[in-house]
Amino acid sequence: MIDTWLTETFDLSVPVVGAPMAGPGEGRLAAAVSAAGGLGMVGVGAARSPGWVREQAEVAAAGGAPYGVGLMAWALERDAGQLDAVLEVRPDLVAVSFGGFEPYVDLLRAAGLRVAVQAGTVAEALRAARAGADVVVARGAEGGGHGRDAVGTLPLLQAVLDAVEVPVLAAGGIGTARGLAAVLAAGAAGAWVGTALLTTHEAASTPAARQRLLAADETATAYGRVFDVAQRLAWPPEFGGRALRNAYFDRWQHRLDELATDDAAARELTEAQAAQDHDTAYVYAGQGAGLLREERSVAEVLADLAGAEALLRRF
């Protein structure tokens, strides 16, 4: 068993956190990751109600293993109800990222909760450490979903490890035992893994999205703000999203100002999402999508990641 700050703090057998993915990352996925020896996280989208947070936290906690919840700072600035729900359910770890996270870190720490912050630059990691985060997540540009597109995982991880004294997790492109071994060897306390879980039985991914993911290679993703602009979401512009490239993204990626006022294009995306038409609808995923081969259980994915221990023993 690999012993790190992460495994010792949360009594894990695998130094892996299941990334809090809004959409696929509901309570069932979080519970499965925790049951398999990692730390599962519930991903809370901006539109989710406090009641939804409580319900999914109950599912995640049902097995008695540690779990976490991921929040977005920019969404809390508009409505703090999600934060109130998290303070009520008291998960073992709360991630709060993307925007002005400092006051929320302070509130959560004052309530006795452990806090993680995702950082896409060294400056952001230093902000997180100064704010009192228990752990910083060095999230590289390879990662799926939202974040910065500034620095790749390994360059960022090395720099953040040198810059902060708190534990650091690595995120972005880590989908196999080899990837986990690499970041552990560099000094990370563990990996923050999302894309590798998207085609598990327990993820709330649609059948059509799973088919697209399994057909993808490492070049199949693109980074940008197309899907956020089309949905009129208030994501800060520095945090775009990495998703599987499709015809809708290609049509609009250089026409964001036009897209922001095109109601027909917005309706087209909404209707395509409901119909699971992924020539238009989005599937958020990182460059690790090329490592996906088949639908598996979370337990199988975590067991494979645990093979990092054997790889590290070779050296």
Side-chain angles (χ1 to χ4, degrees), residues 160-210:
V160 171
L161 285 166
D162 285 342
V164 303
E165 296 183 1
V166 298
V168 177
L169 303 178
I174 303 162
T176 69
R178 294 182 187 279
L180 178 56
V183 299
L184 291 171
W192 186 270
V193 174
T195 299
L197 300 169
L198 286 175
T199 56
T200 58
H201 306 313
E202 296 89 346
S205 307
T206 67
R210 292 169 187 269

Side-chain angles (χ1 to χ4, degrees), residues 134-150:
D134 295 277
V135 58
V136 171
V137 183
R139 184 216 178 267
E142 300 97 318
H146 287 81
R148 296 183 186 273
D149 193 36

Side-chain angles (χ1 to χ4, degrees), residues 14-238:
V14 187
V16 165
V17 175
M21 300 179 288
E26 298 184 348
R28 182 173 178 239
L29 180 61
V33 172
S34 295
L39 182 69
M41 299 279 285
V42 175
V44 183
R48 293 298 191 183
S49 69
W52 184 91
V53 175
R54 295 185 190 96
E55 290 168 4
Q56 297 304 315
E58 184 177 357
V59 174
Y67 77 99
V69 175
L71 302 171
M72 300 180 296
W74 67 267
L76 297 179
E77 291 168 3
R78 302 166 63 199
D79 182 357
Q82 294 175 353
L83 182 67
D84 293 337
V86 166
L87 290 168
E88 179 183 327
V89 300
R90 300 190 62 81
D92 298 272
L93 180 67
V94 183
V96 58
S97 313
F98 311 128
F101 52 76
E102 285 89 345
Y104 307 112
V105 173
D106 193 46
L107 283 168
L108 291 161
R109 288 291 309 279
L113 297 174
R114 291 190 176 92
V115 183
V117 174
Q118 297 183 61
T121 64
V122 172
E124 199 167 37
L126 288 168
R127 277 179 55 202
R130 285 194 292 266
D134 295 277
V135 58
V136 171
V137 183
R139 184 216 178 267
E142 300 97 318
H146 287 81
R148 296 183 186 273
D149 193 36
V151 190
T153 300
L154 281 178
L156 179 64
L157 175 63
Q158 294 168 81
V160 171
L161 285 166
D162 285 342
V164 303
E165 296 183 1
V166 298
V168 177
L169 303 178
I174 303 162
T176 69
R178 294 182 187 279
L180 178 56
V183 299
L184 291 171
W192 186 270
V193 174
T195 299
L197 300 169
L198 286 175
T199 56
T200 58
H201 306 313
E202 296 89 346
S205 307
T206 67
R210 292 169 187 269
Q211 290 175 11
R212 287 282 180 137
L213 288 161
L214 292 173
D217 64 18
E218 72 279 6
T219 69
T221 67
Y223 178 92
R225 299 181 57 233
V226 168
F227 301 118
D228 294 332
V229 171
Q231 295 176 89
R232 313 295 191 257
L233 297 178
W235 272 96
E238 63 268 31

